[in-house]
Structures are given as structure tokens and as C-alpha cells.
Amino acid sequence: MSLLKEPLKEIHKRLSEGDCSAKDLVDLSLKRIDEVEDRVGAFITVDREGARARAEELDKQLAEEGERGLLAAIPAGIKDNICTEGLLTTCASKILANYTPIYDATVMKKLRAAQAIPVGKTNMDEFAMGSSTENSGFHLTRNPWDPERVPGGSSGGSAAAVAAGEVFFALGSDTGGSIRQPAAFCGVVGLKPTYGRVSRFGLVAFASSLDQIGPLTKNVEDAAYVLQAIAGHDPMDSTSADVEVPDYLSALTGDVKGLKVAVPRELMGDGIDPGVREQVLKALRVLEGMGAVCEEVSLPHVRYAVETYYLLAPAEASSNLARYDGVRYGVRAPADNLMELYYNSRSTGFGAEVKRRIMLGTYALSSGYYDAYYLKAQKVRTLIKRDFDQIFEKYDVVIGPTTPTTAFRIGEKVDDPLTMYLNDICTIPVNLAGLPAISVPCGLSGGLPVGLQVIGRPFDEETVLRVAHAYEQQAEPLPEPPLGGDRS
Amino acid sequence: MSISKEQVQHVARLARLSLTQEEVERFTVQLNDILRFAEKLNELDTEGVEPTSHVLPMANVLREDEVRPSWPREKVLINAPEQKDGMFRVPPVFEE
């Protein structure tokens, strides 16, 4: 019995048949963490005591009530920029190294209501700024497929934890690809919901007009389960949309007959590694075999997306990160006066990439440059969004690769911010347009996972999930990452 | 447009960051690279295009102005680096 490999539906069944308990599941997860964590480094904090206590309490509750939540007894990893009451939440930043939230993010309240069990907080690029998790203020996370390679980022810990079988699923956040890119690099499923679908209350803000929380899972069905649990309007987040949440599981029909698929040539061109392109083309043939109609289209402004993003996101970040001043929470550096307190706390607390983005954003917003950079980028954002609006008048989904390459080597891009930024070329346009998108594994290239990205209309996660699920049913499953050990 | 070392130092002051000489040198080169890269946006004619600050078609979200329970003071101060008499403590703001 290798429970850690099983889909959530199967766990649900075994739990209700009394085949396993919450305690068994938490023990399995913690045992696997003991076994592989020194080689993966997915977690910043593992809450053994809390998880065991919750499991015990839940087993009693389940025995008495019989009623089971959607994610009952499922051990989960939570990205360390999501506030967890009473549990350290650092954003992988030294400036928050001692921060313990006094409240739960709305997604945490919802996970707890669905009876999931958080076992720990996962590593990430500091304040979610990065594409490799190398910008963590604490330690590296290694890709379970190759310890010399990055897991992607910024939700690299969440992706690695799921790929390594340390947890059944994890939550991440995605501002420019931070769920989908690490999911692609680690061979797992990653879903970024429509902007506004999931509450951002309690998610430490990076770029507020782009950030969105979503699941990283072993398969598409599990992603539907987790989205079901966390989606919905929240009065505590005024940008959360008051839109009805459909039944995502019933969307997984396996039927894509007649589906109209747009394949943007801008995301299949020279910048895309041939091995990645080949796997994506194979996946498109699989979908065509099932009756989908794939056509090449053009999204002419998508090639300006990275430039647009790297003005807008740092501008929003520079404003959001002004709150770290050493006064009310976080690490305070020694100082003789208040101004020195700000300077010292921020200069010692933030890492290089965070400083770089604060500088860039402050400059783009500063007097005399606002129109040339920030306003210009906001206008191009409109053009990028219009490209998608027009395509979605005729097509149901847009499909392409999630990333231009497979996982790169640790250290390869860390000193060259621009090259690192260009790795987000396929995912960034989706955030700028606020759309839902999923990355689903589509084979290996050079022994490393490739991700297929399915992008949908606003609030049409159902179609995105349906297409990814239908493809997954037909695709050859990935082998296990070569970590060894057993997951039973 | 390019950004000088002096501008980097000015922006750092606006952002309340004190940079080492080495950081100033490095950021000057890197910010110039990134800004030169971003200038590709000038290829596009955006005359008359509305800026997008937010993708959702929503304006101000209002609610009733009602008194609701809040956290107790002790709880709010849990993460305070320094506190005194139920308040956040900071170094002197004004000279005596």
C-alpha cells in the first residue's frame, strides 16, 4: 500500500472505510519528510507537534460525527507567505524570520474547515520574488528529479514537497508564474486561478494586482478538490470576486470533442527549447486525437509581457514592502533614531533580489519617470489583455509550454537577473490578463519534466481543469522522481 | 534614458535602503540593463490606450460602517520588536 502516491479521492474512500486514520496519514507524511528532506529542503518549518495534535483531534471528531470534509485528514504544505495563526510565517525573508501571525489567511480557514492538516511551511524565493527558490533567505531547495537543479520558483518548496511525496498537496502563490513554473520543473500539477477567484486575505502582498493563491498537486483531479475548498468570495479581500463557485469535480468529464484550442506562435518559437516544444506538440496531437481542434494563432503583444511585468510588479512591490520598517513586527536592527531604524532594518533584512526590485519599482514610480515606465507598462498591459480577449471570442483555451526550458542548474542564472526574468515568458502574460491557467506534466525532456500550460477564460477554471484532466488520462504517466525510499 | 550612480543613491534614499558602495555599483549596472530591456515597450504606440491597473471590472467596494470586534491589544503587540505601556516603542523621533 503506497498511500502517498494515491489520489485524494482514494484517500477519502479509505478514510471513510476505516482503512486509514488521520494519524496514519500524518505519520506517513512526517516519515517521508524525515527520509528525504535533507536532500530536498522543501520546508522552512515543519510543524510535527501541531500536525499530530490536529490528527488526533480529527480522528476523534470523525469517529463521533462521521461527516468528512472535502480534504479530511490530508497532510498539506503551505507556502511560507500565507499567514498561519500561531505558526512562523517568514516569506523566506530574514526581515520576517521571527514573525508569527495572530490570524489565519482565509485560505487557511477554508483548508481547516475542509479538515486538511497543515504539516509545514514551504520554502520560496524571498517575498515570492524569483524563479528558482535560490533567493530564499534561509536555504536552497533542490529539484527531486536532479539535486543539482532548481525546483523553480517562487513556490519551489511547495512543488518539491509534492513531487517528493512529503505532502499530498501544497498551496502556492503565483504573481508571474510562481505556481505553474515550479510545477512544470518538478513534474506536478499547478493551478493559478483567475485573479479574484481565491481570497488574498492573509497572503503577504507582493504585487497586489497580480498575486493569486492556488494548489500544487499530484494530478488534475486533486487540484480540482483543493480549488473547490479554497475558492469563493471573501469580504476581507475587496478584490475577491463575488462569482458563484461551480462544482469543479463534475467538470472533469474527459470529453474535449470539438474543443477549440489556440496555440500562440509567440509561445512556440525560437525561445522555446526544442525538447520542450516536441513534448508540447505531442500533447497537442493527443488532444486532437480526442477530438479537439488545434489552430495556430498570434498574440502579438505577448512578446512585450516580460518587460511590462518587470515594471509593474516591482512598482507594486516597492509600495507593498514599505511596511517592513522594524516598528510593529519583523526584525528590528539596532538604531539610535527612527530614520536609522528604517534604514538599518530594511538594509539588513532584505536580500539582493528584493532590494533590486524595490529599487526598480521606486524608480519606475518616481517623479519624472512615472509616465515613461509605469503608465506605459499599464497601457501595454491593456494591449496584452485585449489579445487574449480577442482569442477567447473564438477559442475555448490557449495552450503552450509552461516554461521555455526544463529545470536549470543551481547557480546558473542567479547572478544574471534578466536571464532569470526571461524564464517567465510563458507564464507572465496570464497574470497580466488575470486569467486561470494550469500546468500539467507532459513527458520528459533529457530526463526532466516538461509542463503543458492550459489557459482559460476569466472564471472558467472548469474548462481549464477539464482539458488538463482529459489530456492527463491519455498521457503516459511520469515515472517517480529518482529520490528512492518508499512512499508506503 | 539611463540611470546614474547618483540616481541609484537617490532612489535608495526614497526606499529607505542604505547601500554599500559595491551595491551601488552593481545596482547601477543591473538597473540600467533592466531599464534598457524595458525600453522595448516604446516600440508600441499606446496613444489613446487606457491603462490597466486592475483586471476585474469592479470599482469601489463598500460596506456598512459598523462597529465590529477587534483583536485585544496584547495580541496585536505579540510581534512588536519593542513595546512599552501597551504601545510600540521606537527610538526618539525628535531631538530633545
Side-chain angles (χ1 to χ4, degrees):
Chain A
M1 186 173 77
S2 50
L3 272 185
L4 281 166
K5 280 191 223 165
E6 297 292 341
L8 293 184
K9 192 198 265 172
E10 179 63 23
I11 301 292
H12 209 76
K13 188 168 148 253
R14 295 200 189 188
L15 195 69
S16 48
E17 287 169 356
D19 270 2
C20 70
S21 63
K23 182 181 181 300
D24 296 339
L25 293 168
V26 165
D27 285 348
L28 270 180
S29 167
L30 294 176
K31 185 173 150 238
R32 181 66 180 169
I33 289 172
D34 287 337
E35 186 178 35
V36 300
E37 183 57 8
D38 61 337
R39 284 177 286 152
V40 179
F43 288 91
I44 291 176
T45 305
V46 177
D47 183 20
R48 289 164 204 279
E49 238 170 80
R52 289 206 175 100
R54 179 73 189 116
E56 198 175 314
E57 182 191 333
L58 191 60
D59 277 331
K60 270 188 213 149
Q61 195 186 332
L62 292 178
E64 280 165 23
E65 294 166 16
E67 191 91 350
R68 273 165 198 82
L70 195 61
L71 300 172
I74 305 293
I78 309 297
K79 190 176 180 179
D80 211 22
N81 59 350
I82 295 173
C83 285
T84 43
E85 185 178 347
L87 186 61
L88 207 60
T89 298
T90 69
C91 290
S93 181
K94 292 199 167 77
I95 210 163
L96 286 177
N98 58 2
Y99 176 63
T100 303
I102 59 169
Y103 64 94
D104 264 337
T106 297
V107 290
M108 290 312 299
K109 284 202 180 117
K110 284 176 173 269
L111 281 192
R112 293 189 210 278
Q115 298 176 333
I117 302 180
V119 295
K121 304 296 295 283
T122 56
N123 200 15
M124 54 186 281
D125 289 295
E126 183 179 3
F127 284 106
M129 297 178 191
S131 311
S132 67
T133 312
E134 290 166 292
N135 295 334
S136 168
F138 302 122
H139 60 79
L140 285 175
T141 296
R142 295 179 183 277
N143 192 313
W145 290 82
D146 178 349
E148 297 307 315
R149 290 180 190 266
V150 303
S154 64
S155 312
S158 289
V162 173
E166 293 174 287
V167 287
F168 286 82
F169 77 91
L171 291 186
S173 68
D174 190 317
T175 306
S178 283
I179 289 173
R180 292 159 288 156
Q181 185 255 21
F185 279 11
C186 292
V188 301
V189 170
L191 172 68
K192 183 201 93 71
T194 310
Y195 183 82
R197 177 58 97 185
V198 175
S199 169
R200 294 185 297 111
F201 178 73
L203 170 68
V204 178
F206 160 16
S208 308
S209 82
L210 302 161
D211 298 342
Q212 189 63 194
I213 296 172
L216 293 106
T217 58
K218 289 174 298 201
N219 59 64
V220 177
E221 188 186 63
D222 288 3
Y225 267 98
V226 180
L227 180 63
Q228 197 77 55
I230 62 174
H233 178 243
D234 176 14
M236 296 299 279
D237 171 8
S238 56
T239 62
S240 93
D242 200 355
V243 176
E244 203 185 327
V245 178
D247 178 5
Y248 293 116
L249 286 165
S250 65
L252 309 179
T253 59
D255 180 13
V256 293
K257 206 163 185 301
L259 182 94
K260 298 199 71 181
V261 178
V263 184
R265 68 175 71 100
E266 289 81 3
L267 299 180
M268 290 293 275
D270 286 345
I272 307 300
D273 177 83
V276 169
R277 196 186 308 134
E278 189 189 320
Q279 293 303 321
V280 172
L281 288 171
K282 257 195 224 168
L284 291 169
R285 283 199 291 275
V286 169
L287 287 168
E288 282 175 336
M290 301 170 74
V293 182
C294 302
E295 285 174 8
E296 188 180 278
V297 302
S298 176
L299 294 166
H301 297 99
V302 150
R303 64 193 192 91
Y304 299 94
V306 178
E307 290 82 350
T308 304
Y309 177 87
Y310 278 99
L311 292 173
L312 295 181
E316 293 189 26
S318 72
S319 165
N320 273 325
L321 271 61
R323 73 190 64 174
Y324 303 103
D325 56 9
V327 173
R328 291 147 300 154
Y329 49 81
V331 173
R332 172 183 289 195
D336 293 330
N337 61 56
L338 190 63
M339 199 52 94
E340 227 178 68
L341 177 88
Y342 298 152
Y343 274 107
N344 295 354
S345 301
R346 291 168 65 78
S347 304
T348 55
F350 292 139
E353 180 64 24
V354 172
K355 286 182 190 170
R356 188 154 44 234
R357 295 207 197 180
I358 291 175
M359 293 286 295
L360 182 60
T362 305
Y363 180 71
L365 289 174
S366 67
S367 160
Y369 302 99
Y370 180 92
D371 285 5
Y373 291 114
Y374 186 67
L375 190 65
K376 180 79 185 181
Q378 283 192 320
K379 289 181 173 182
V380 179
R381 184 176 184 183
T382 305
L383 298 177
I384 293 167
K385 186 170 179 300
R386 276 186 204 161
D387 280 359
F388 280 104
D389 289 346
Q390 280 163 12
I391 290 296
F392 282 124
E393 282 172 19
K394 280 182 64 184
Y395 296 89
D396 300 302
V397 286
V398 173
I399 294 186
T402 308
T403 56
T405 65
T406 53
F408 47 87
R409 288 180 188 282
I410 290 170
E412 189 179 320
K413 301 187 182 194
V414 77
D415 291 325
D416 184 359
L418 265 182
T419 315
M420 185 75 91
Y421 297 171
L422 284 166
N423 199 255
D424 300 333
I425 186 146
C426 306
T427 46
I428 278 175
V430 175
N431 298 76
L432 291 172
L435 305 169
I438 199 167
S439 179
V440 59
C442 72
L444 300 175
S445 170
L448 295 167
V450 175
L452 183 77
Q453 182 174 224
V454 181
I455 307 166
R457 296 187 180 99
F459 299 102
D460 190 12
E461 283 83 0
E462 285 169 286
T463 303
V464 168
L465 287 163
R466 173 163 61 94
V467 174
H469 175 257
Y471 165 71
E472 184 187 53
Q473 299 307 299
Q474 296 297 317
E476 203 179 311
L478 292 187
E480 292 286 313
L483 267 178
D486 85 76
R487 300 180 172 203
S488 57
Chain B
M1 268 187 271
S2 74
I3 179 166
S4 64
K5 261 186 241 174
E6 290 68 36
Q7 278 173 302
V8 165
Q9 279 160 332
H10 170 66
V11 171
R13 274 193 298 277
L14 292 177
R16 302 287 183 260
L17 292 170
S18 42
L19 302 181
T20 63
Q21 204 46 45
E22 193 262 331
E23 281 179 310
V24 172
E25 306 273 344
R26 187 155 34 96
F27 282 151
T28 305
V29 174
Q30 289 175 340
L31 293 183
N32 270 310
D33 284 350
I34 296 167
L35 291 170
R36 208 170 308 128
F37 166 75
E39 269 160 26
K40 189 170 129 193
L41 298 186
N42 293 330
E43 290 171 12
L44 291 171
D45 181 5
T46 50
E47 193 62 43
V49 177
E50 282 292 309
T52 296
S53 56
H54 208 271
V55 288
L56 295 178
M58 51 166 70
N60 294 331
V61 179
L62 304 175
R63 60 169 170 77
E64 291 305 312
D65 185 16
E66 286 165 345
V67 177
R68 291 183 299 178
S70 188
W71 287 306
R73 185 181 280 224
E74 317 78 72
K75 211 172 171 186
V76 173
L77 285 165
I78 277 177
N79 283 293
E82 279 186 70
Q83 52 175 297
K84 193 184 178 190
D85 303 333
M87 287 178 275
F88 296 103
R89 185 160 193 253
V90 293
V93 181
F94 301 108
E95 308 271 334
E96 278 179 39

